[in-house]
Amino acid sequence: MIADIEPVNRESTAAIIARRLREAIMAGTLAPGTQLGEADLASRFQVSRGPLREAMQRLVSEGLLRSERHRGLFVIDLEPSDIQDIYTARSAVERAAATLVVHASDRDAIAAVLDEAVARMADADAQGDPTALSEADLQFHEALIEASGSPRLRRMARTLMIETRMCLTALQRTYPTDDYETDERIAEHHAIIAAVRAGDEPELLRLLDEHMADAVRRLAPGSGDDAADNA
């Protein structure tokens, strides 16, 4: 009976390993294409192979690792087509979140949280830290999805944000570095916040679409429809 099931008070070993592997993949410590050896990882984590295999299978199901028959598990590679696909999926999730946020009764409070993320972007820019700038950018979008109040949108966004961080880590050099373009990037976020405050759904969706398309142009120039736009 369900009443006989005892509550779990601590994160399982497999969950801890999975979390650490995700962090290593996001940070680029485990680069795209890296093969994961069970013996080496079990030694590094100082665990048996049982929870390690469970953790790695979680990441396979999340799409962060791929399994090759007779070869083992590898961190996924992100080709330009993958980047296009990630941002297409992110656009669908964030548009859905935006339609909920724009009709929320606490839009000013939501906008204030988004303002904080943009302030972190500006601080990172002032310090010349592109990694922190990109992280604050992603935190902005995570906050927008969180504000939707939809647990399913949050769940769908989780892996997409990990993959996005992989993109930014691997392709950091493709992000604009001059002050004008960085200021423009921050201004895009201010415009999104203004649309949230105003409850202007068409404008909010338009801005999100443009923001995602611009990200693809920067991260994967020449891919898909953006090749024509960038010509």
Side-chain angles (χ1 to χ4, degrees):
M1 293 178 62
I2 194 71
D4 296 328
I5 298 177
E6 294 183 2
V8 176
N9 296 318
R10 294 191 302 172
E11 191 176 18
S12 70
T13 300
I16 293 170
I17 296 169
R19 174 166 50 78
R20 291 183 181 174
L21 288 173
R22 281 190 209 97
E23 291 169 353
I25 290 170
M26 283 191 292
T29 306
L30 291 174
T34 299
Q35 184 173 13
L36 302 188
E38 280 189 11
D40 179 54
L41 286 175
S43 175
R44 287 175 181 271
F45 284 119
Q46 297 185 346
V47 296
S48 65
R49 295 195 184 191
L52 176 62
R53 286 172 180 163
E54 181 183 340
M56 291 195 293
Q57 284 306 312
R58 290 188 188 191
L59 270 61
V60 170
S61 67
E62 292 172 9
L64 299 177
L65 298 179
R66 70 175 192 276
S67 177
E68 294 189 11
R69 192 172 183 180
H70 304 309
R71 292 194 65 202
L73 296 176
F74 297 79
V75 178
I76 60 168
D77 293 292
L78 292 176
E79 303 296 336
S81 60
D82 295 307
I83 295 170
Q84 177 87 47
D85 192 45
I86 289 165
Y87 277 87
T88 296
R90 273 191 59 191
S91 181
V93 170
E94 293 194 34
R95 282 176 61 93
T99 59
L100 295 172
V101 166
V102 82
H103 296 295
S105 59
D106 57 345
R107 289 198 308 273
D108 285 340
I110 293 170
V113 173
L114 298 176
D115 276 330
E116 292 175 2
V118 177
R120 289 193 295 273
M121 290 177 65
D123 287 344
D125 179 44
Q127 294 168 16
D129 188 341
T131 300
L133 175 62
S134 293
E135 182 60 26
D137 186 336
L138 288 178
Q139 288 171 356
F140 175 97
H141 293 276
E142 287 171 332
L144 180 67
I145 295 165
E146 181 72 25
S148 74
S150 169
R152 287 168 179 80
L153 288 177
R154 290 197 297 266
R155 190 162 60 240
M156 286 188 285
R158 192 173 301 127
T159 297
L160 291 171
M161 290 303 186
I162 294 172
E163 291 178 318
T164 301
R165 285 179 169 89
M166 291 174 65
C167 292
L168 301 187
T169 298
L171 303 170
Q172 187 73 58
R173 66 184 181 277
T174 68
Y175 260 81
T177 56
D178 65 73
D179 290 339
Y180 173 75
E181 291 197 48
T182 302
D183 288 346
E184 196 173 63
R185 182 176 169 189
I186 291 173
E188 289 177 5
H189 290 78
H190 280 305
I192 290 170
I193 294 170
V196 168
R197 278 201 171 96
D200 188 340
E201 183 175 347
E203 177 68 359
L204 178 56
L205 296 180
R206 183 188 70 79
L207 289 167
L208 285 173
D209 286 344
E210 288 184 357
H211 188 65
M212 294 296 173
D214 179 61
V216 172
R217 280 192 291 269
R218 287 185 280 111
L219 286 168
S223 67
D225 295 336
D226 294 307
D229 293 344
N230 217 30

